[in-house]
Amino acid sequence: MSREQRLARVFVELADTLIAEFDVIDLMQTLADRSVELLHADAAGLMLADQRGRLRVIASSEEAAQLLEIFELQNSEGPCLDCFLSGQPVVNLEAETMQTRWPNFWPRCAAAGYRSVHALPMRLRDEVIGAINLFSHSASKMSTDDMVVGQAFADVATIGLLQERAVQEKPMLAEQLQSAHNSRVIVEQARGVLAERAGVSVDQAFTTMRTYARTNGLGLTSVASQVIDGSLDGGELQPT
Amino acid sequence: MARERAQQILTDLKESSQSSDPSLPQRLLEACAAALPVTGAGLLVMTNTGPGAILAATDGPARVMEELQFTLGEGPCIEATRSGRPVLQPDLAATAPSRWPGFAAGALDAGIGAIFAFPLQVGGIRVGVLDLYRNRPGPLADPDLAEALDFADAATTVLLHLQAQNGPDGVVTLLEDRNEVHQATGMISVQTGLGLADALLLLRAHSYAEERGILDVSRDVVSRIMSFAVRGRLQE
C-alpha cells in the first residue's frame, strides 16, 4: 500500500473515532500509534497542558518506563516544552544542538537509544494546548511531507479534544483539558484492575479494553469506568 | 510548577494550624476564597450515589449554594462530579435557568452571579467538589483558573485523607500523578478487595512506611515484584 493509501485509511479511521461514541483518549492513542507507523518514528507520544504550565502524557505508543520518564522530564526541558512555549515545530536539530539546549533531556534520550527527536504543536487559535513528540532510533530528519502529515495529526488531536462539545470560549477549553487528563487516569486505574483480575500485564489489559470498546462501539473511558465499578468483568472481557 | 503550588497550599495550611482553629477543610476554603477573586466557596463531599454532605462553606450565599444542590440534586457541582469535568459558569443568569431551573432560581436569589465548580477526583476516585462563587458575573482569568485548579488538587488530597480509614496521620502530601501509580492503585484494589481510594492510600502509606518513593513501589506492584494480597496473608 502506498503512503497516500495508508494515510487515507488512517484519516477514515480517525473520522470514525469522531462519529462513534467519542473518546478523547482513544483518539490520542490512535494518533500516537499511527504517528509511529507513518512518520518514520520508533516511538510517539502526545502531551497535553494542564493549564498550570505542566505538560502531561495523554497517550504514548509504548509504555516503557524509560520513555515515560523522558516525557516527564520535559516539564523542565526538551522539545515538547520548547514547542509548547513557542508554538512552533521543534524538528531536525543536530545532536550537538540538542546536547547544548537540553543537557539533561538529551543524554536520557541517547541512553534509551534514540538518535533524533521532534515535536509538533497542538494549537487552538493563539493558544498552544500540547504537542506531539516523535522519537527515532536513527538520526533521521523529518521531510516536509512528514511535517505536513504530522501537523495534520496534531490538528486532528486538537479538533478531537474540542469536538466532544462545541467549544466557543476558553472556559470550555479548560473543561475539556481537565476532563481529558482525568479520563487518562481512569483508563490507567482500569488497566490495573483488569490486569489483576485477569492475571495479565497492564499492556495486555489496555489492548483488551481497547478492542472491546472498538468492537462494541463504546468509548474507551466508559469501558474503563465499567471495569472499575465491576459492571464489566472477566466474562465479557476475555483477553485476546 | 503546578505541583509545587498545590503542595505549598497544603504546607501553609499545616504550618498555620492551631488546635483551636476551624477544621482543615474550612481553613482551606478560606485560604482559597482569599487567594482568588471570588466572593465565597463551598466544599461538598460526594458519595457514589450523590452529594454526601456539605463539608465546609465560607459564608451565607456559599452555604445556600451548597444546600440547594444538596437538596435538589442538581446544579453545577452535581454536574461536575457526574461528568468528571469542571463546570465553569461565568454568567449564571444567562446559562443556569435552562440547565438547572430549580437551582438557578435559588442561587440567583441568594445573589450569586457566577459559579466555578471543580470536581475533586483522581480518575475513578471521586471525593467531592470545590465550588467557587462570585456575586457578580465574570470569568476567571487564566492565572486565577490555574490557582483554582491547584486549590482543587490540595482539596482532593485533604478529602482523601479524611476518608481514609487508616491513612498515615498528619501526613498530607500531594498525590503523585504518574501512570504507574494509577495502574498500581487498580491492581491493589483487586488484591485487597478495597475501593480505589483506600487502595491509593494503602499504596501511599506503604511507600511512606518503607521510606520509598511511591513511583518506585508502584512499579514493583505493576511488574508483580510485590503484591498487597500476599502481604496481607503473611501478616495474618
Side-chain angles (χ1 to χ4, degrees):
Chain A
M1 211 189 299
S2 75
R3 193 191 198 202
E4 283 73 17
Q5 286 169 321
R6 281 160 61 208
L7 261 180
R9 286 208 174 179
V10 169
F11 276 95
V12 169
E13 178 189 22
L14 290 171
D16 198 44
T17 67
L18 298 175
I19 295 165
E21 186 183 332
F22 177 72
D23 188 276
V24 68
I25 304 300
D26 201 20
L27 173 68
M28 302 282 169
Q29 189 65 46
T30 301
L31 284 167
D33 294 343
R34 296 300 168 263
S35 294
V36 167
E37 193 181 317
L38 286 164
L39 296 174
H40 311 106
D42 292 300
L46 279 78
M47 298 194 82
L48 270 190
D50 74 350
Q51 303 208 289
R52 285 168 283 173
R54 186 177 158 83
L55 290 166
R56 292 155 77 185
V57 182
I58 203 81
S60 171
S61 64
E62 54 179 276
E63 279 291 312
Q66 216 173 16
L67 184 61
L68 293 175
E69 290 291 353
I70 287 173
F71 284 126
E72 186 67 19
L73 207 56
Q74 295 189 72
N75 276 300
S76 315
E77 62 175 47
C80 259
L81 182 62
D82 288 1
C83 180
F84 176 66
L85 294 176
S86 68
Q88 300 300 316
V90 176
V91 296
N92 298 340
L93 298 180
E94 298 297 333
E96 303 83 66
T97 312
M98 293 194 275
Q99 174 63 44
T100 313
R101 203 153 149 185
W102 308 310
N104 295 303
F105 170 80
W106 181 242
R108 294 285 287 277
C109 289
Y114 298 117
R115 296 286 171 272
S116 59
V117 51
H118 314 287
L120 298 166
M122 291 171 58
R123 304 177 60 161
L124 174 70
R125 295 184 285 272
D126 294 341
E127 193 155 7
V128 189
I129 60 171
I132 290 189
N133 209 178
L134 302 165
F135 298 83
S136 178
H137 291 311
S138 62
S140 66
K141 296 254 189 266
M142 281 192 94
S143 66
T144 310
D145 281 357
D146 287 343
M147 284 180 63
V148 169
V149 172
Q151 192 58 55
F153 283 1
D155 293 345
V156 167
T158 309
I159 294 164
L161 180 79
L162 302 174
Q163 188 264 353
E164 233 173 333
R165 263 167 36 191
V167 173
Q168 312 293 341
E169 48 181 341
K170 270 193 173 173
M172 304 291 260
L173 172 63
E175 294 177 8
Q176 292 297 93
L177 282 171
Q178 293 305 311
S179 167
H181 286 301
N182 201 58
S183 293
R184 176 81 239 173
V185 178
I186 291 175
V187 170
E188 297 304 325
Q189 290 168 338
R191 285 172 82 162
V193 168
L194 184 59
E196 192 63 23
R197 268 194 211 134
V200 297
S201 69
V202 289
D203 284 351
Q204 178 65 62
F206 187 56
T207 307
T208 302
M209 286 196 297
R210 268 190 106 195
T211 307
Y212 182 86
R214 288 269 170 100
T215 312
N216 293 280
L218 298 168
L220 178 61
T221 309
S222 86
V223 168
S225 296
Q226 290 175 50
V227 166
I228 288 174
D229 70 24
S231 56
L232 199 56
D233 62 12
E236 299 91 337
L237 269 176
Q238 285 304 328
T240 44
Chain B
M1 290 289 282
R3 300 186 54 76
E4 283 81 352
R5 176 63 191 134
Q7 186 59 57
Q8 188 61 46
I9 290 168
L10 288 172
T11 308
D12 289 350
L13 285 173
K14 200 173 174 224
E15 281 173 1
S16 66
S17 143
Q18 308 281 333
S19 56
S20 60
D21 274 357
S23 70
L24 189 60
Q26 185 68 32
R27 284 188 291 125
L28 180 104
L29 270 192
E30 281 162 12
C32 178
L36 288 164
V38 297
T39 318
L43 200 53
L44 272 185
V45 178
M46 300 299 294
T47 67
N48 287 336
T49 53
I54 300 164
L55 192 63
T58 54
D59 56 11
R63 191 156 286 281
V64 171
M65 166 176 77
E66 302 302 26
E67 278 168 359
L68 276 171
Q69 305 197 71
F70 191 80
T71 315
L72 298 170
E74 67 169 32
C77 95
I78 309 281
E79 189 169 319
T81 199
R82 193 174 290 148
S83 65
R85 69 176 73 220
V87 176
L88 310 177
Q89 295 283 299
D91 187 356
L92 207 64
T95 49
S98 57
R99 265 171 107 169
W100 314 287
F103 169 77
L108 293 168
D109 265 0
I112 294 173
I115 289 189
F116 311 98
F118 298 89
L120 306 180
Q121 58 195 0
V122 184
I125 305 169
R126 293 181 179 175
V127 292
V129 190
L130 173 67
D131 290 323
L132 309 178
Y133 88 89
R134 253 180 180 167
N135 52 10
R136 288 180 196 176
L140 280 182
D142 281 353
D144 296 330
L145 180 65
E147 179 83 344
L149 289 166
D150 284 329
F151 268 100
D153 277 358
T156 304
T157 305
V158 167
L159 259 64
L160 262 175
H161 277 267
L162 286 179
Q163 287 188 359
Q165 285 158 357
N166 43 18
D169 247 13
V171 186
V172 183
T173 53
L174 210 62
L175 303 158
E176 187 81 34
D177 181 20
R178 297 290 289 272
N179 286 359
E180 295 97 322
V181 175
H182 304 309
Q183 292 164 5
T185 301
M187 292 176 73
I188 292 168
S189 85
V190 176
Q191 288 167 1
T192 57
L194 294 169
L196 286 176
D198 285 331
L200 175 58
L201 286 160
L202 191 60
L203 174 61
R204 278 161 60 91
H206 180 82
S207 312
Y208 184 75
E210 301 258 299
E211 296 182 353
R212 294 178 64 198
I214 192 169
L215 186 57
D216 258 5
V217 175
S218 297
R219 284 182 178 153
D220 282 357
V221 172
V222 171
S223 58
R224 297 199 157 90
I225 290 171
M226 190 182 146
S227 166
F228 282 71
V230 171
R231 277 173 43 83
R233 277 202 292 278
L234 285 179
Q235 277 167 356
E236 272 167 18

